[in-house]
Amino acid sequence: MRILSLGRLTLCLFAVGAGLSTAGVFAEERDANDPVAALAKLIDQRIDERIAAEKGVAARPADDGEFLRRVYLDIAGKTPTVADLRDFLADESPDKRHKVVEELLDGPSYITNFAHFWRSVMIPEADSNPEVRFLLPAFEAWLRQRIKDNVPYDKLVREILEMTVDPRQAANPFQPQSGVNALSFYQAKQLKPENLAASTARMFLGIRIECAQCHDHPFDEWKQEQFWGYAAFFAGLNREQGGVQGLVNSILETLGPTQLEIPGKNKKVTPTYFDGTAAQLGFRDSPRRILADWMVGQENPYFTRTLANRLWGHFFGLGIVHPIDDFTLENPPSHPELLDDLAKGFAAQGHDVKFLIRAITSTRVYQRSSRQTDPTQENGRLFAKMALKGLTPEQIFDSIAQATGFFEQFANRNPMMMDGNSPRAEFLQTFENSRDSVTETQTTILQALSMMNGKFVEDATSLDNSATLSAVIEFPLMTNADRIETLYLAALGRPPSADELRRMEDYVKTGGPTGDWKRALGDIFWALLNSSEFLFNR
Amino acid sequence: MSNSTSAHFPNLSRRDWLRLTACGTLGISQSGWLAALADETAKSPDRKRSCILLWMTGGPSQTDTFDLKPGHANGGEVKPIDTSVPGIQISEHLPLLAQQMKHCAIVRSMSTKEGDHARATYLMRTGYLPQGPVQFPTIGSVWSKELGKAESELPNFVSVAPFRFLSPGAFGPGFLGPRHAPLVVGDGQPGGNTDYEKSLQVKNLAVGKDVAASETDARLDLLSGLETDFLKRNPGVTASSHRAAYLAAVRMMRSEAVKAFELTDETDALRDAYGRNQFGQGCLLARRLVERGVPFVEVSLNGVPGGAGGLGWDTHQGNFEGVKSLCGVLDPAWSTLLKDLKERGLLDSTLVIWMGEFGRTPNINAMKGRDHFPNAWSTVLCGGGIRGGQVVGKTSDDGMKVDDRPVATSDLLATACLALGIDPMKQNMSNVGRPVRVADPEASPIHNVLA
């Protein structure tokens, strides 16, 4: 793994506000030899040039609290604890943002969060198909190993495309150590050439070619024959007829030049790249290996750009091409040169995903506030402010748990568990939203009712059951202002504004409708957990 | 700064918010007028139709319900009986429904190709087969979006006891988004649920018992302050949808209409007639919701209390006992629903659909069961927009194939759209940026069942 030399970075303090609320710290003068800094600089340049050209105004830099909560959610998939926050806010070193990114990338939560991320990209079927859900433990375990070792992205994709499909490697739900490999991917696609073609094209090339499965693509250049020509790379895989669905106890794979018939067309096609060139296959060649060579090769214009766009989309809520998997002529990138820069930089650094994460998170663009200061910022494709990204159901639950000190047995995290009555399962079911566009998540009535009146939040805000609340109340040396601030940090990852603090202090002083200052603090915590701000990564 | 929001979410001012939180404002002004309003909506020519979907989880046997084959070995032991419509016979297990046949059109020629629970459920409930990343919405979301009002007190789509496990995508709003998600009540677990009085209530509708009403108002007021500040900093749809959901939730919590869920308001005689079980009471709830203007309600029949414990109508073994006990729940509920709607002047404006994901094999297997069978099976359309008292299509004597007028899923759903007054060709933008029509454009609706 490549180690970044932090010492070579010259960082300068941009601005430091009073007290807890410090403004952003950026690497302004960077060593041109540091590829992370170089790419970050290029990103800032490209984005700012466009903002200027469109007569836009960029938002202010994100303050430390905003940055920390964001970078925790994006990299580690959860919010920081109050202690994390206080340490970070108190840290006066100029490169503390940089340091926290490194800490997070080295931590276990990065591994689980990104294993989940890649799993959602690669086997989205699991969200709607319970049969496929059985495959997840083994697949995510495999992903976690690869992410832990920071396996380069091209190697990861090669491993998936080239793996020997041997039924003896299949995951067995009753043997947790079995099947820690990518075979689940093939099982989830039912070993069908058309499914494997559609999903690999979408995942690795950003091409939604599945419409061309049945007819020429209505909105793009893809023709039905191209789809099946591409699918023919997977035509060597065959499951014996009559096998039990979902099980791969009887796979046959034919090597050498394969053929695939276009259904209903009485026409056979051989493995053909998207540019129309037929693949040259020897009799002992695996068509999938030949495809992998082309897929990750330098001539393929899609591979690295798709990855760069996907990661960009993860961190900014919107892709440079958006929707993320939809590279078509009709759907041009907002910043084509930038996408090329990202792709080139990524390839030059050995397809290192962490490199792109480091570069993206150190930009001014990423470290902008989500707070809108100018109408031009409403155009999300300008990236003049940070988009509000809705938390995933898992993030919401884990963040409430984090904020309130709720403890749940780890066993309930097992995707095989069908215990619909655990607080987490019930919560995830209520909050199960479309995951396709994080910037357009919406709240349902049942979600609102669950947050307002549900037992989980009720306990979190009751004096008897909430660890955070009781700690805040019982800690003897705290003033009401301290207490309110702690609740804000726990829920929103930021201290209250002066105006908010005044309002909340007044409320605690009067004790709310019950005249009890302790209950009044519970009311405030309730309001914070129910606020839009809590449900967004901002 | 502009106060721009999308057309769907009018910007809700602090005052709007406070109007809801101010003690009782809504409650007082609304008491008393509901019954009058229900009466009026039923008679208004502007009223769009409502839909009640009776969803038969697992796939019911057509041969033992609506397409009997007496005299053929495939017919099995169930006897046909006459109905109130001369010439139409149905199963002996549905004697009460037989008396309502003038409101019903039986489609005996469903022909759908999908024999797997997950795929067939997806097809029947969305109108489309799964296609890669496209998240098709369930018909309840699509239709209620067309029929409902944005600012109604109750959600436009209520789902009673859905069993979502086999095909979760087939029960959600898909690309239409959470605003069109169903409000779910009831327990969807198969085997029937005995604690239906509790499970048919809206979850989390009541505030915690430790929280005083004045405290709720105070909390909402605090929240309102936070939201106003946040929206000022971050104008846009995402944040205002949060606020809209809270407004809708509070509106419902404090509305008169939410009394729809208080089934104890009904007479014991009527509750008994529907059947004292989750499905029966769910049908009663459906009537109460439709009466209060909810445009789409679905009620799932997933099993029978104390029954075999299998998945609803999935009678791979012991088909005949299974069908008999399920019909024992279905028959009183469905027939009482039609009668009750009729007596309240609501039947002409309420379409009732009976269907599952597929039918079952006419031939009987070694375990006295029937297996999945999509080739030739039955569904039923009743009430609003439907010319009842007729049968569509015909299957062969052994029931193995459709002899006349095959009806595809899209044909059935497009027919229902027309009965409801929805344009089946209307488009919605999908999550992959491709427009998707309300019903498959290749559908050929069954025009002769339309009133």
Side-chain angles (χ1 to χ4, degrees), chain A residues 288-308:
Chain A
R288 289 186 292 128
R289 193 184 58 73
I290 301 290
L291 175 65
D293 288 344
W294 171 81
M295 181 80 83
V296 307
Q298 290 188 353
E299 268 92 84
N300 176 1
Y302 298 105
F303 182 67
T304 46
R305 272 190 255 180
T306 301
L307 178 278

Side-chain angles (χ1 to χ4, degrees), chain A residues 12-17 21-27 60-64 67 94 96-97 367:
Chain A
C12 102
L13 214 54
F14 219 163
V16 180
S21 176
T22 49
V25 182
F26 308 106
R60 288 182 309 115
D63 63 35
D64 278 344
F67 171 79
K96 65 177 180 179
R97 292 193 179 191
Q367 298 189 18

